Amino acid sequence: MAAEAASARAAAEAAARQSYGKLVAFLAARTRDVAGAEDVLADAFAAALERWPRDGVPDRPEAWLLAVARRRGIDAVRRRLTREAGQDHLALIAEELEAGMAEQEIPDERLRLLFACAHPAIDPAMRAPLMLQTILGFDAAAIASAFLVSPATMAQRLVRAKARIRQAGIPFRIPERQELAGRLTAVLEAIYAAFAEGWLDAAGTETRRRNLASEGLWLGRLTASLLPNEPEALGLLSLMLFAEARRAARRGPDGAYMPLAAQDTGLWDHAMIDEAERLLVVASAMEGLGRYRLEAAIQAVHSARRSRTTGGTDWPALATLYEALLKLTGSPVAAINRAVAVARLDGPRAGLDALEAIGDPRLADYQPFWAARADLAAQLGDREQAAAAYDRAIGLERDEAVRRFLLAERDALDRGTV
Amino acid sequence: MQYMLLIHVDEAAMAAAAPTASPDKAYEMGQPFMAYNEALKKAGAWVAGDRLAPSSSTTRVRMLGDRTEVLDGPFADTKEQLGGYYIIEAQDLDAAIQWAARCPAAQNRAVEVRPIWKAQ
């Protein structure tokens, strides 16, 4: 019963966010004033979050919000908003209600809003927070705790970014064909950044951060549904689903870190992996090659281990995919993973050579580089190098469970069990 | 909306590049700018645009009580100086960015795109 109530509550909250984001986008796309749109809907949204879980989601959620915004909020908003744009929103709401717009679906302008949030004139670090606030209605405090900055700082940055959208004249439009790919990359990067913040908290101890992975998925679903012919939008959603599907298996019962190869595939969410695979098949049939499709394909190879018929991991495929990703992005992270795949294929010496050939100065502070190096050196019997590399890796790791895992590996060296 | 495109130039570098030209000559509008101005006008985006005389010719004025203080030289000594501007009519920031990118000054230095708050 408690679980049912919780899921009903979650569904009602999702419906409230869905309608709220649609209305903010609808109003803001017409006035360019995101803050004003949020202001006129704030009271109605708060009422929806409180009432819908209890009384159920109304038949026409957007009409409900518009009506409540007008009935309850407008006098207060009128007092609060002296600027002209606030009046524009009120006039728009009144017009829409009178036109009986709520009878039909209101046009979904959230894609335009996503492109405004990820406009090149907006600070890249603020793009994901802006999306979470304007599309999903999260308050600055919740976003701040997920991004590990103070609520006051986050609130101030959000206000500034919204003022910038209005004052600089950042358009609410879907970019033309020739610029769509570049601009879409910025939208997808922001969504992936939100997801990755949540993903970092594997244990799910910080609820706020764990939720961020779900919100990233939500935004990914929205973008993929609004741009069903954009292979990278589908690729990103596929990638996030593959990763999220393994959440329950990433920690052992005692909270210990479980590397991918040691994970119990029975704990993976197979429905989610199935969905990720279907999306990847659709995206792969489309033209071109992109970062997210490649990364999703890599995750698909790892996930294939769940099948009884194949069982193992297809290392040659992984080496090829990482090679392609490295060529496409020049990412040192792809280079490390490629080296690890090479080690599986051609032995630890070849892997270590590949690692050392990367020569990117940023790797000096990158934990997985040192962990990979330590593991390969240990396989070659070079305990001294392995121990030094483990020490570097342990010093760089923020996650306590991963640190404990690395410490155990290092201890195994000392005991000579490796 | 209206936007101002601010073109900052390195006057010292310009003087070094054309040491024989008189200061007036160094600031003469080149052919690419004439073509750009023409394009702005044809598109109906042109509002205003001029180059500015060298910053050495500038004068600063402020009131100190009821006394007028007049100082020569620019407000701040910077590596780059404001050398010219355009005021354009553009639908939104994307359109303004496209005009800024086409400006010949964007070839070798950044052009600042600033929205204008119209006086009522």
Side-chain angles (χ1 to χ4, degrees), chain A residues 147-219:
Chain A
F147 285 90
L148 308 177
V149 300
S150 82
T153 304
M154 182 54 83
Q156 194 182 40
R157 287 181 190 162
L158 283 165
V159 166
R160 276 203 207 121
K162 282 179 243 172
R164 189 166 169 75
I165 289 177
R166 186 163 51 91
Q167 287 172 359
I170 287 175
F172 285 73
R173 70 181 174 86
I174 295 155
E176 314 274 331
R177 200 70 237 167
Q178 71 269 18
E179 48 169 354
L180 181 63
R183 296 282 309 278
L184 180 60
T185 301
V187 172
L188 299 179
E189 268 172 13
I191 293 172
Y192 194 43
F195 177 82
E197 278 295 324
W199 174 245
L200 282 178
D201 179 35
T205 42
E206 298 169 60
T207 319
R208 285 266 158 74
R209 302 190 73 192
R210 177 182 180 150
N211 286 345
L212 211 43
S214 334
E215 309 321 341
L217 263 175
W218 198 96
L219 289 171

Side-chain angles (χ1 to χ4, degrees), chain A residues 32 119 167-171 173 183, chain B residues 1 3 91-94 97 115 117:
Chain A
R32 263 185 209 153
H119 193 275
Q167 287 172 359
I170 287 175
R173 70 181 174 86
R183 296 282 309 278
Chain B
M1 288 181 74
Y3 291 86
Q91 202 201 338
D92 52 40
L93 181 61
D94 282 356
I97 287 172
W117 274 347

